[in-house]
Amino acid sequence: MSHMGKAWIVAASVGAVEALKDQGFCRWNYTMRSIHQHARSSLSRVRDEKAKQSEESLRTVMYLSCWGPN
């Protein structure tokens, strides 16, 4: 392939990348990353709440086994 042909391919590739940027392709990447991060933090909160509930249940069982009616 001639040098002129390679230059046209490079120019077309750069133009395509710039066009994708203009159409918001990069913004979609940010949006998807943001949604993923939000989902991970929500899952972490649910896990923490479940751990607290489990700990409270264990604490109740321990209390009742020590001080409850025999």
Side-chain angles (χ1 to χ4, degrees), residues 2-22:
S2 69
H3 293 291
M4 189 59 103
K6 289 180 183 178
W8 276 105
I9 290 174
V10 170
S13 299
V14 170
V17 168
E18 292 300 321
L20 286 174
K21 284 183 183 178
D22 290 342

Side-chain angles (χ1 to χ4, degrees), residues 29-39:
N29 190 18
Y30 171 77
T31 303
M32 294 302 288
R33 198 176 331 132
S34 176
I35 290 170
H36 183 253
Q37 184 178 15
H38 178 70

Side-chain angles (χ1 to χ4, degrees), residues 9-10 16 18 21 26 38 40-42 44 51 53 55-56 59 62 69:
I9 290 174
V10 170
E18 292 300 321
K21 284 183 183 178
C26 293
H38 178 70
R40 286 179 67 194
S41 67
S42 294
S44 177
Q53 183 182 16
E55 184 178 337
E56 186 64 31
R59 185 174 290 138
M62 293 297 291

